[in-house]
Amino acid sequence: QKEVEQDPGPLSVPEGAIVSLNCTYSNSAFQYFMWYRQYSRKGPELLMYTYSSGNKEDGRFTAQVDKSSKYISLFIRDSQPSDSATYLCAMGKSNTGKLIFGQGTTLQVKP
Amino acid sequence: SQTIHQWPATLVQPVGSPLSLECTVEGTSNPNLYWYRQAAGRGLQLLFYSIGIDQISSEVPQNLSASRPQDRQFILSSKKLLLSDSGFYLCAWTEDRATEAFFGQGTRLTVV
């Protein structure tokens, strides 16, 4: 079993839709969680970072962490064509600094 | 502000040739540095990480090596490239062990 599982998609939605991206993990030692956006042929760009269970909001993006269920989500409200990219979840243990990534979900937002 | 530079952006190398990819970070001191590889349609695999000069850990046995000649410089090398070394290589840095990672723009390596 992989430490982090992420549905690869692709996911296609109309402009303005609410998008839900999800990852599950198996190792309860993970303590901090991130979401990255990666455009084609570019490096990943950090979107959200959170250290605790609950919700964290930043503009149209909301990151949700449920440590009891080992489940994290990224919600995108009012999705735009510019949101079309691959979204990667990542998580780490505080004593190592190493991140484990999901395989990424490819999102297409159609105008 | 901190910036990370990675070059070259694209590289095509024949099998058996050497490799040297360079990464530098500006605007911070004593960063933790990382090399990742991303295969097509897959997530990132950690190859090496370094918490300081002469402190480099390898995560995956492979045909590659890493060095950190200066505090903010991280180099990925190979003496003889294999076809399986093709991929998208990303350098990243963190300020500490439990903080956000910031990535360079990557090097797309094709071994032919």
Side-chain angles (χ1 to χ4, degrees):
Chain A
Q1 181 187 9
K2 292 182 182 178
E3 283 192 284
V4 180
E5 299 275 2
Q6 183 176 6
D7 186 342
L11 184 62
S12 182
V13 301
E15 184 175 354
I18 296 174
V19 176
S20 172
L21 304 167
N22 310 296
C23 287
T24 58
Y25 61 96
S26 57
N27 193 336
S28 58
F30 288 132
Q31 295 176 295
Y32 58 101
F33 307 88
M34 283 166 262
W35 284 96
Y36 287 87
R37 177 174 62 196
Q38 186 177 24
Y39 292 114
S40 180
R41 297 182 173 270
K42 298 292 185 182
E45 171 193 10
L46 180 68
L47 285 177
M48 302 287 280
Y49 168 88
T50 182
Y51 201 88
S52 57
S53 283
N55 293 349
K56 181 176 181 179
E57 189 173 319
D58 184 1
R60 296 185 294 112
F61 299 92
T62 300
Q64 186 177 81
V65 174
D66 183 344
K67 289 187 177 180
S68 61
S69 300
K70 299 190 183 65
Y71 188 90
I72 68 171
S73 299
L74 178 70
F75 298 97
I76 307 174
R77 293 185 299 279
D78 187 24
S79 56
Q80 303 295 310
S82 58
D83 295 327
S84 298
T86 296
Y87 290 81
L88 297 155
C89 64
M91 45 199 78
K93 308 169 194 174
S94 60
N95 62 336
T96 67
K98 296 183 289 185
L99 295 177
I100 305 298
F101 283 81
Q103 67 180 105
T105 300
T106 299
L107 170 68
Q108 183 182 27
V109 181
K110 296 183 176 179
Chain B
S1 63
Q2 301 89 355
T3 56
I4 179 168
H5 302 280
Q6 188 180 343
W7 67 92
T10 305
L11 193 59
V12 180
Q13 291 284 100
V15 169
S17 64
L19 173 73
S20 180
L21 301 180
E22 192 164 338
C23 171
T24 60
V25 180
E26 296 178 356
T28 188
S29 59
N30 196 31
N32 292 346
L33 297 172
Y34 306 81
W35 279 110
Y36 287 87
R37 177 168 58 200
Q38 185 175 33
R42 302 184 65 179
L44 279 66
Q45 179 187 38
L46 180 62
L47 302 176
F48 299 94
Y49 73 98
S50 172
I51 60 173
I53 291 177
D54 297 327
Q55 299 180 73
I56 300 172
S57 298
S58 173
E59 288 295 295
V60 181
Q62 61 216 321
N63 185 41
L64 302 168
S65 62
S67 61
R68 186 168 176 172
Q70 299 180 40
D71 179 47
R72 292 171 289 171
Q73 184 184 27
F74 207 23
I75 296 174
L76 183 68
S77 304
S78 174
K79 292 182 180 178
K80 289 185 178 181
L81 284 169
L82 306 171
L83 287 174
S84 57
D85 291 324
S86 294
F88 192 46
Y89 288 84
L90 290 155
C91 180
W93 73 276
T94 65
E95 192 169 297
D96 202 344
R97 289 183 175 182
T99 58
E100 308 95 310
F102 298 95
F103 287 84
Q105 287 303 295
T107 295
R108 187 161 301 280
L109 171 67
T110 303
V111 182
V112 296

